[in-house]
Amino acid sequence: MNPEELCEMNGEEGTDMKGRTLVRHVREGFKNLGRNGWMSFASISAVTIMLIVVGAFLLLVMNINHFIQTVEEDVEVRVYVDLTATEEEQKELAEELKQIDYVESITYLSKDEGLDQLIDSLGEENREVFESLREENPLNDAFILHAEEPQLTKQVATSAENLSHVERVNYGKDVVEQLFTVTNVLRTVGIVLILGLTFTAMFLISNTIKLTIVARQKEIQIMKLVGATNGFIRWPFFVEGFLLGVLGAIIPIAIIIGGYQYLYANFMNQLSIDFAELLPVFPLTLQVSALLIGIGALVGVWGSLMSVRKFLKV
């Protein structure tokens, strides 16, 4: 047998050995769950409880952020055209408005359309009174601008004010600035709370999993003394921690999907406020479910590896 054939054979044997070792680690990881039944149950329960809380809070924060975005998207700049402006001058103004930085869209609103909106907003009881204004409509033609980002509304409005044939610009300055202040605070608070809750969950879950590993420290030390490598000892615990995290995420996922479907079906039937519309069940619950599985698996593996590491030095 030539050297090349020998190397190829050794390579195949090494690959086969690695495959058998990996299967052994996975099998041991599953067995460890059964051997340490009550501790495994305690760990899975801790993961389940904390992930239910994290999942519910994720749904809340994501819906609040959706509400905020919906409200912000309704912010607009109304550029009222000078009453003396001719049709040609209005066209020139429209072209100038399109050249303003950060303008995403422009909609023309004639004074007749503006009067229709005004009458509709005042209700049927006042319709006859204001219908008389149609003969001599006192309103201005207007252009409605939306900024690429809601926070750029003020900058767009300031640029529009400096153009010719503009009588006035309205974007609800005080209300809009207060709105952005509130929405920024809500976003910051939501991010801080979700991060704090996630890290708290990781701490509590990993400590529970650590108790499972600590209870078997003699087993780890004996394996180390008889010559087992750190990797050989660590891998079954890696698999076990992964399984604890994933199994602990199953019940929270079922509760999140079922509970949110029920809430969406009942809440949306009773709600008539457009901006308070909940996010659709899918893909939201699938996204949250993926996050819960990821958090559970990460915390399970991290808790197991951190606990085993302290016992690998004999």
Side-chain angles (χ1 to χ4, degrees), residues 183-310:
T183 55
N184 288 335
V185 169
L186 286 175
R187 281 198 178 98
T188 302
V189 170
I191 292 172
V192 170
L193 287 177
I194 200 67
L195 288 176
L197 185 59
T198 302
F199 280 112
T200 300
M202 291 179 66
F203 175 76
L204 294 175
I205 293 170
S206 63
N207 277 346
T208 304
I209 293 174
K210 284 179 183 179
L211 294 176
T212 305
I213 309 302
V214 170
R216 288 142 63 191
Q217 57 180 303
K218 288 185 178 179
E219 174 189 339
I220 297 172
Q221 291 171 348
I222 290 172
M223 292 176 66
K224 183 68 175 175
L225 288 172
V226 297
T229 64
N230 289 345
F232 189 85
I233 298 171
R234 187 184 290 116
W235 266 96
F237 288 101
F238 176 94
V239 174
E240 183 180 354
F242 177 83
L243 292 173
L244 289 173
V246 172
L247 290 174
I250 292 175
I251 294 177
I253 288 172
I255 292 175
I256 290 298
I257 294 177
Y260 190 74
Q261 282 181 324
Y262 176 81
L263 178 64
Y264 185 86
N266 289 272
F267 187 72
M268 293 305 296
N269 288 336
Q270 300 175 7
L271 197 67
S272 59
I273 305 175
D274 291 338
F275 73 83
E277 185 175 309
L278 291 174
L279 285 166
V281 176
F282 299 103
L284 175 62
T285 53
L286 297 180
Q287 294 169 344
V288 173
S289 298
L291 283 172
L292 294 182
I293 291 178
I295 292 172
L298 175 64
V299 171
V301 170
W302 180 68
S304 295
L305 294 184
M306 290 300 100
S307 302
V308 171
R309 186 176 63 176
K310 64 185 296 186

Side-chain angles (χ1 to χ4, degrees), residues 20-305:
R20 289 200 301 270
T21 302
L22 179 60
V23 171
R24 181 263 174 197
H25 291 329
V26 173
R27 185 172 60 247
E28 286 299 310
F30 275 98
K31 286 182 179 179
N32 287 341
L33 292 178
R35 290 171 185 163
N36 304 277
W38 283 110
M39 293 302 296
S40 297
F41 176 77
S43 298
I44 292 173
S45 298
V47 174
T48 298
I49 293 171
M50 292 307 301
L51 288 186
I52 289 174
V53 176
V54 172
F57 201 78
L58 276 171
L59 289 177
L60 176 62
V61 170
M62 292 173 78
N63 273 290
I64 289 176
N65 189 58
H66 172 64
F67 297 159
I68 292 171
Q69 287 180 340
T70 303
V71 172
E72 288 181 342
E73 287 171 0
D74 287 338
V75 175
E76 61 185 26
V77 178
R78 291 210 174 198
V79 180
Y80 294 96
V81 183
D82 195 321
L83 290 172
T84 61
T86 63
E87 184 176 345
E88 187 64 31
E89 289 171 338
Q90 286 193 13
K91 291 181 179 179
E92 291 177 3
L93 176 58
E95 291 300 320
E96 291 176 347
L97 290 172
K98 291 178 182 178
Q99 301 303 317
I100 295 177
D101 292 336
Y102 312 119
V103 172
E104 183 177 56
S105 65
I106 298 177
T107 304
Y108 177 70
L109 182 71
S110 69
K111 59 183 181 180
D112 292 330
E113 293 172 330
L115 183 59
D116 289 337
Q117 290 184 0
L118 176 62
I119 292 174
D120 291 340
S121 67
L122 293 174
E124 290 296 328
E125 62 276 9
N126 298 308
R127 178 174 291 274
E128 291 185 5
V129 176
F130 287 91
E131 283 289 346
S132 61
L133 294 175
R134 291 192 182 279
E135 295 181 4
E136 295 183 8
N137 191 335
L139 301 182
N140 301 71
D141 294 321
F143 291 96
I144 301 175
L145 279 59
H146 285 91
E148 293 176 356
E149 296 291 338
Q151 286 73 16
L152 298 171
T153 299
K154 181 178 180 180
Q155 187 171 336
V156 170
T158 302
S159 299
E161 285 176 336
N162 299 323
L163 299 179
S164 302
H165 312 300
V166 172
E167 183 174 302
R168 68 184 186 280
V169 174
N170 181 26
Y171 68 100
K173 178 179 179 181
D174 295 335
V175 175
V176 168
E177 290 180 356
Q178 291 178 4
L179 170 67
F180 290 153
T181 299
V182 171
T183 55
N184 288 335
V185 169
L186 286 175
R187 281 198 178 98
T188 302
V189 170
I191 292 172
V192 170
L193 287 177
I194 200 67
L195 288 176
L197 185 59
T198 302
F199 280 112
T200 300
M202 291 179 66
F203 175 76
L204 294 175
I205 293 170
S206 63
N207 277 346
T208 304
I209 293 174
K210 284 179 183 179
L211 294 176
T212 305
I213 309 302
V214 170
R216 288 142 63 191
Q217 57 180 303
K218 288 185 178 179
E219 174 189 339
I220 297 172
Q221 291 171 348
I222 290 172
M223 292 176 66
K224 183 68 175 175
L225 288 172
V226 297
T229 64
N230 289 345
F232 189 85
I233 298 171
R234 187 184 290 116
W235 266 96
F237 288 101
F238 176 94
V239 174
E240 183 180 354
F242 177 83
L243 292 173
L244 289 173
V246 172
L247 290 174
I250 292 175
I251 294 177
I253 288 172
I255 292 175
I256 290 298
I257 294 177
Y260 190 74
Q261 282 181 324
Y262 176 81
L263 178 64
Y264 185 86
N266 289 272
F267 187 72
M268 293 305 296
N269 288 336
Q270 300 175 7
L271 197 67
S272 59
I273 305 175
D274 291 338
F275 73 83
E277 185 175 309
L278 291 174
L279 285 166
V281 176
F282 299 103
L284 175 62
T285 53
L286 297 180
Q287 294 169 344
V288 173
S289 298
L291 283 172
L292 294 182
I293 291 178
I295 292 172
L298 175 64
V299 171
V301 170
W302 180 68
S304 295
L305 294 184

